[in-house]
Amino acid sequence: MLMRSGLRLVTRLGLRPVFSPQVPLLVQRSYIGLAARAFPRAAGVRDVEHYLGGVLTRRLIPESAPPGRALMYLHGGGYVLGSPATHAGLVSHLARAAGCECFVVDYRLAPEHPAPAALDDVLEAWGALTRSHEAVALAGDSAGGGLALAMAVRARDQGLAAPRALALISPWVDLTLSGLSMVTHAARDPLLGHAWLAYAARHYAGSSLADPRVSALFAELGGLSETLIHVGSEEVLFSDAARLESRLRAAGVPVRRRVWEGLWHDFQLQAGVLAEADRSIAELGGFLAAALARPIHATVSAPTPSGVAI
């Protein structure tokens, strides 16, 4: 509990002021890149640069990773920040927990490259990865979680290989910011606020905030792969996760949402330091490992509802 309180304070005082429309974007990017160096890497995971099609990725390879299985990971950062380097710590722990190599896509960022540039990059990388590996799952955090969902929808619509499973950490799936928790959790989230999210959304999507390609909550979600969502109880994006679970369940998609009480947005970035982050990564990794090992024609029953919704 003491570690959690300390990290919460560090997050509020050391990171939240940077997530502001008043801070130049290049400063935000540089600061987050430096801060990410404090996140420990998992032991026994090496990484190399790797191109999937024409898209650069960082390939993280745990010891004894079986051939033919892979995870594609899409980093968060509001579509304007972040990189494979900022999330290498989190993903190294997830790769080890899932027992497979993981490809973190270096998709193009806004405002230099607004939508649909990020989605186009991810689709190109997905096509290459699913041609080279037999079983591939998909994961992402925050904006990367929303991008993962949008990519799964596009892959379904274009007849591409479907991910074996989706693991979404605090997914940002509604760029209109219409979720109730944008108001009710405004003072509780130590990292994100409405002003910065609105700023990032405008950079990425312009005036097309409700377009299902950028706000995948509003897409037709039937036929998607089984999904596990992890979200902190304190975050302004809490309603995004709750509404996504409801919409997936209504569409017949097997889905489970795990709420971490007292935790904030993207606390999994502190894996290796925060016990709850380690437990979350272990659960997500176990879910992905099981999905990747399952025979492709095996059926998946819908999990029990979480019982928590906003």
Side-chain angles (χ1 to χ4, degrees):
M1 184 63 72
L2 184 61
M3 176 63 74
R4 180 199 290 190
S5 299
L7 288 173
R8 182 186 180 92
L9 184 63
V10 168
T11 299
R12 182 174 291 279
L13 298 181
L15 291 177
R16 186 179 179 115
V18 181
F19 286 90
S20 167
Q22 281 69 53
V23 177
L25 187 53
L26 290 179
V27 174
Q28 294 185 46
R29 289 174 176 173
S30 297
Y31 188 90
I32 297 304
L34 290 172
R37 296 181 182 180
F39 303 144
R41 299 278 298 272
V45 180
R46 60 187 178 91
D47 69 274
V48 296
E49 288 189 344
H50 183 93
Y51 279 89
L52 290 172
V55 181
L56 180 65
T57 72
R58 176 166 288 192
R59 183 182 188 182
L60 290 92
I61 311 166
E63 295 173 349
S64 303
R69 299 180 189 173
L71 173 66
M72 177 179 282
Y73 192 91
L74 308 180
H75 68 80
Y79 299 104
V80 298
L81 305 174
S83 69
T86 61
H87 285 64
L90 185 162
V91 182
S92 68
H93 289 277
L94 184 59
R96 190 171 68 177
C100 69
E101 59 182 348
C102 182
F103 296 78
V104 191
V105 181
D106 194 12
Y107 59 84
R108 288 172 290 172
L109 298 177
E112 298 90 338
H113 304 282
L119 183 55
D120 289 344
D121 288 349
V122 170
L123 282 165
E124 181 176 350
W126 180 257
L129 185 57
T130 53
R131 287 191 294 271
S132 63
H133 288 70
E134 179 183 0
V136 185
L138 183 61
D141 68 283
S142 194
L147 185 57
L149 184 67
M151 199 229 72
V153 170
R154 182 71 70 85
R156 179 204 63 197
D157 292 347
Q158 294 185 358
L160 304 178
R164 288 293 186 91
L166 279 77
L168 307 178
I169 297 171
S170 304
W172 186 24
V173 293
D174 175 12
L175 274 64
T176 72
L177 308 183
S178 63
L180 181 61
S181 58
M182 284 290 165
V183 176
T184 59
H185 290 47
R188 293 165 58 179
D189 192 327
L191 182 61
L192 294 184
H194 184 281
W196 186 83
L197 286 168
Y199 156 91
R202 288 194 304 271
H203 275 321
Y204 180 60
S207 61
S208 303
L209 299 176
D211 188 323
R213 293 172 297 178
V214 299
S215 292
L217 180 68
F218 306 127
E220 167 53 52
L221 301 178
L224 296 188
S225 305
E226 61 171 329
T227 302
L228 175 61
I229 304 167
H230 278 204
V231 63
S233 67
E234 305 305 289
E235 43 182 307
V236 292
L237 294 181
F238 185 81
S239 291
D240 280 42
R243 289 180 295 158
L244 177 58
E245 180 199 23
S246 296
R247 292 214 61 233
L248 286 169
R249 195 175 302 283
V253 177
V255 59
R256 181 168 63 90
R257 177 169 54 102
R258 170 80 144 94
V259 176
W260 291 85
E261 292 298 331
L263 273 299
W264 51 88
H265 183 70
D266 256 8
F267 69 90
Q268 292 85 353
L269 284 166
Q270 290 149 337
V273 177
L274 182 65
E276 292 92 339
D278 292 339
R279 292 200 294 272
S280 174
I281 293 295
E283 288 187 17
L284 292 161
F287 166 76
L288 291 165
L292 289 169
R294 187 180 299 121
I296 194 167
H297 296 299
T299 58
V300 179
S301 57
T304 302
S306 66
V308 183
I310 280 187

